[in-house]
Amino acid sequence: MSYLTEFAPGAGRLRPRAFFASDAPALGLDGVWRFRLAGSAAEVTPGFETDDFDDRGWGELPVPAHWQMHGHGAPAYTNVRYPFPLDPPHVPDENPTGEYRREFTLPNGWPEGPAVLRFEGVDSCFAVWLNGRPLGWSTGSRLPAEFEVGGVLRPGRNVLAVRVHQWSPGSYLEDQDMWWLSGIFRSVTLLARPADGIADFFVHAGYDHRTGAGTLRVETGDGVRLTVPELGLADVPADEEHVLPRVEPWSAETPRLYEGVLSAEGERVPVRIGFRTVAVEDGVLKVNGRRVLFRGVNRHEWHPDHGRAVPPETMRRDLLLMKRHNVNAVRTSHYPPHPAFLDLCDELGLWVVDECDLETHGFQRVGWRGNPSDDPRWRDAFLDRMRRMVERDKNHPSVVMWSLGNEAGTGGNLAAMAAWTRERDPGRPVHYEGDRACSYVDVHSRMYASHEEVDLIGRRADEDGGADSTDGGGARRRTLPFVLCEYAHAMGAGPGGLTEYQRLFEAHERCQGGFVWEWIDHGIRRTGPDGTEWFAYGGDFGEPLHDGNFVADGLLFPDRVPSPGLAEYKKVVEPVRIGVADGRIEIVNGHDFAGTGHLEFRWSVEEEGVAVAGGRLDVPVLAPGERAEVAPPEVPAGKAETWLTVRAVLAADLPWADAGHEVAWGQGLLSPAPPPPARRPGPVTGKDGLLRVGPAVFEERTGRLLRLGGLPVDAPRLDLWRAPTDNDHGLHGRGTPDEALWRRLGLHRLRHRLVDVAVEDDALLVRTRVAPAATDLAVLADFRWWGDGDGLVLEVRAEPVGDWDCPLPRLGVRTAVPAALSHVEWYGGGPGEAYPDMCRAARVGRFAATVDELQTPYVRPQENGNRTGVRWARLTAPDGTGLRIDGAPAFELTARRWTTEDLDAARHTHELRPHDRVYLHLDAAHHGLGSASCGPGVLPEHRLTAGPRSLTLTFTPYRSAP
Ligand code: GAL
């Protein structure tokens, strides 16, 4: 097993080539294999590869799969740190090694001659034998490897044996931030390779946007013919340039594919052709002559039960979810995806930045000492990885950039990868974020740059230097297009600040969008003893070294339920802008390529959230970039707060969504709420130490609310605390994280002192001073209570005293009502959660949900579930009793069955246990979310600075819903 100490990437493998299916015979070898896991490479089974080895004592494991997801060994998560010593190319003796065996019968009629055994992905290193004969070995987990087996196959029974090592020299190049998972995790196939077949091909299909012409040449073997009926090409030589005077180009918005066939004597290969030309021109990345704007996400392959062995239907689901959320681009972080994923991108329309399986981030911890990226002994391995990706994926129109990898420092091996790539495929720019000087890339790329920095870059005013810069090179860098290959770290509640990034992308031509980090939380599904599901993260498998829940930072929860962050992203990047204001409706087509012909515009008028009129809006078909103004429908003035909503929906079914699917919306206020009638307090009456204020009873001595009508209600108290979010925790943010400031000050352990209780002007006035221990900072909170018919009015005035030098998490009151009041209806922002810098997706309307449905199940529990701009809310029990809360004009609403302290203490969702109360937070304001878990914190305009605030609420208990 000398390969475990070599820098070479493999031996005995065939030259890399395109992935394709053909009419040549193929035999899938997925299914149940015999399996045994050895603790180290030294403990493998002698002779396991031989024909007659008796494997009946072994266990079984499906292929494709990771053995850790099937009870052998355990998953382990680290972000940057290698879980083994930096001692390249050596790996520890403790090296779990899977032994796999599978017998198969060669089908009758299988042709004699060359045949190939193809592995799509094996993590991290494997050696393979067929019928006892060694074929070779390979590294490069997320890349294919093929071996010639024509001379080894035999009619009838064949025996395939594969030895897979968890750790190998290749592991040094695979330090991506993800679970360490091993095994044959993508398909294995046996392919007959007809001698007079098509070994490989490279489709070059360009589009001239000035003339509308397409040029088509398929680089392949001599004598191969091409037929594309729709283009009028019938059995023409493939490897010649065909100029087609008029073709429909491919773009992510208009994914036009032409079906064709390549044919040789011995083989026919179906091909799908998309005409497009990618170029960097005048410092702008263009496709078909137009600037593109990436509304992207970083996608790791993830399934909560299968790890990176993602079932095909899940890949499709990802793409449908992306398209339905206005995502138009994917960076395949940080390795080439399953090849079928790219077929779907071609078909459904996504721009793809195809990234090589390469990351050496752990060397940063030793100052990049010994980084493989600049060590010539690793050069072959680097080039091998790039070649295998480019050759495999070169025929996908969706792939518009090649990325060398991620976080591998810089060095000659990366430059060599770029040079090879340009030579092999001049038709696609090269991307790599780590080349700060942009000496060997075509696009300037950064991750987590702040809004301010993006603005500077947009204005080409960014300077050399900076914390991460390796050298200057600014002059060249400033001539290139700019993308944020990662931004808006979607860990936990958030990300905040998306809108402000989008404005910069739309303001600066060279800022061509970005890719949110990341698509999905990599949680592993577990089931508790009572059947409750939860998701595990780093440390849950007893790893000695791990990075906790940093692996759960996606726009989807692990089970692919969209998070509020995804709803926000959908709204922020919507490709059509609908402005409704000042008696006008303005529609802007923000697509780069598509007109609005596929959309239908619908309007509706709602009075206090109840639809009173609606219809279709006549909007002319707009070309990309065009805008139109349309007159709003005539509607009589409403008696209540009235909004006009205009929605752009799909006019007909598309492959990724049905007719009626909403793409974009805009809302404008038609008439504000009428001023509330003048109210006069009823008298405050007292008896037996109790005070009666409207429908409520208070304790006279303390001013504490005891009962509200028939409801036992916890006396509202001022609250400033929220269970810190991952962004508050700010592990990789800048400056001192908000959570650290808050805990240092003690906002999680406030003390309340009653200053004074008085009855004045028919109102009960309760003055309090709220402060943490060990400081003289405080918030003075006055509660003024008075009765208004059936209602109880509370006016809160809060005034911080002292020199507060940190923002407040929230400012409002906290109370609790009986658990039975579990059905919530509200008029205000919804339907999902919203915070000051993540609130674009919240529209004004009337919504309903149970208290349980109001919770957002972040993998690590934290603040969540706030509903914004709530004018009124009703909480009702099944028997019809309830409580109505009105804001004047509005408040922020959170309702949950556990306390903030419970949320703060829980590490996983199943640890949260409902109490017999519904805890309510009725807030005047919240601090924003930001994305300081990795990146910038809350922007100044969304910080909740300490200052005087007030909040007015009316509580009205009822017996059956009013
Ligand atoms: C980046 C890295 C990603 C991920 C992210 C934080 O530095 O490229 O792989 O680790 O940070 O979640």
Side-chain angles (χ1 to χ4, degrees), residues 79 177 334 361 406-407 447-448 486 489 517 550 553 934:
N79 169 11
D177 172 7
H334 301 299
H361 203 176
N406 186 58
E407 296 184 318
M447 48 176 79
Y448 310 111
E486 293 178 27
H489 199 251
W517 186 267
F550 205 64
D553 51 4
C934 189

Side-chain angles (χ1 to χ4, degrees), residues 121-395:
V122 182
D123 196 326
S124 81
C125 168
F126 69 107
V128 53
W129 292 258
L130 182 60
N131 299 329
R133 285 260 294 276
L135 302 177
W137 61 273
S138 186
T139 55
S141 301
R142 273 70 59 170
L143 289 161
E146 287 186 332
F147 301 89
E148 175 56 51
V149 292
V152 196
L153 279 176
R154 60 191 180 206
R157 175 178 176 266
N158 287 266
V159 179
L160 186 57
V162 185
R163 183 191 286 149
V164 183
H165 306 279
Q166 172 150 6
W167 309 120
S168 68
S171 306
Y172 284 97
L173 310 187
E174 296 176 1
D175 189 29
Q176 291 94 338
D177 172 7
M178 60 191 195
W179 293 99
W180 295 96
L181 293 172
S182 325
I184 308 177
F185 76 100
R186 287 185 188 159
S187 294
V188 183
T189 324
L190 179 68
L191 302 159
R193 298 303 312 135
D196 47 4
I198 298 169
D200 191 11
F201 63 92
F202 191 170
V203 175
H204 301 278
Y207 179 72
D208 184 335
H209 63 280
R210 285 162 300 240
T211 61
T215 47
L216 177 60
R217 179 168 81 90
V218 184
E219 199 182 317
T220 181
D222 287 346
V224 177
R225 316 285 296 175
L226 172 67
T227 298
V228 189
E230 266 194 286
L231 294 171
L233 297 176
D235 202 32
V236 296
D239 205 348
E240 268 177 24
E241 185 157 288
H242 303 281
V243 179
L244 303 142
R246 259 228 102 67
V247 296
E248 288 175 51
W250 188 97
S251 77
E253 292 167 5
T254 54
R256 176 66 159 100
L257 293 171
Y258 291 88
E259 312 263 337
V261 178
L262 286 172
S263 43
E265 269 310 284
E267 189 171 25
R268 286 164 61 82
V269 179
V271 286
R272 294 197 303 185
I273 297 155
F275 290 91
R276 93 253 171 309
T277 294
V278 187
V280 174
E281 267 173 27
D282 306 324
V284 176
L285 178 72
K286 294 182 179 170
V287 180
N288 300 335
R290 286 172 188 271
R291 169 187 188 258
V292 290
L293 183 58
F294 294 125
R295 302 162 162 101
V297 292
N298 279 280
R299 176 180 179 271
H300 265 284
E301 304 205 297
W302 188 250
H303 187 286
D305 305 314
H306 308 295
R308 288 186 289 276
V310 177
E313 59 280 8
T314 306
M315 295 177 213
R316 192 172 181 88
R317 173 130 189 79
D318 273 353
L319 279 168
L320 295 181
L321 279 167
M322 286 178 194
K323 293 289 287 187
R324 289 174 191 170
H325 287 89
N326 295 332
V327 168
N328 73 355
V330 182
R331 173 178 178 233
T332 70
S333 53
H334 301 299
Y335 41 82
H338 189 288
F341 181 77
L342 296 177
D343 287 334
L344 292 169
C345 291
D346 293 344
E347 208 173 286
L348 297 171
L350 263 296
W351 306 118
V352 177
V353 178
D354 200 1
E355 187 151 280
C356 195
D357 190 359
L358 175 70
E359 174 157 341
T360 65
H361 203 176
F363 283 87
Q364 190 181 33
R365 294 179 61 87
V366 297
W368 293 111
R369 205 165 44 243
N371 182 17
S373 301
D374 206 26
D375 179 339
R377 290 174 300 174
W378 289 99
R379 175 134 328 163
D380 281 353
F382 276 60
L383 284 169
D384 173 73
R385 283 169 186 253
M386 197 67 189
R387 239 182 239 138
R388 283 156 73 194
M389 173 178 76
V390 171
E391 296 298 355
R392 190 194 77 166
D393 297 341
K394 58 188 182 264
N395 292 320

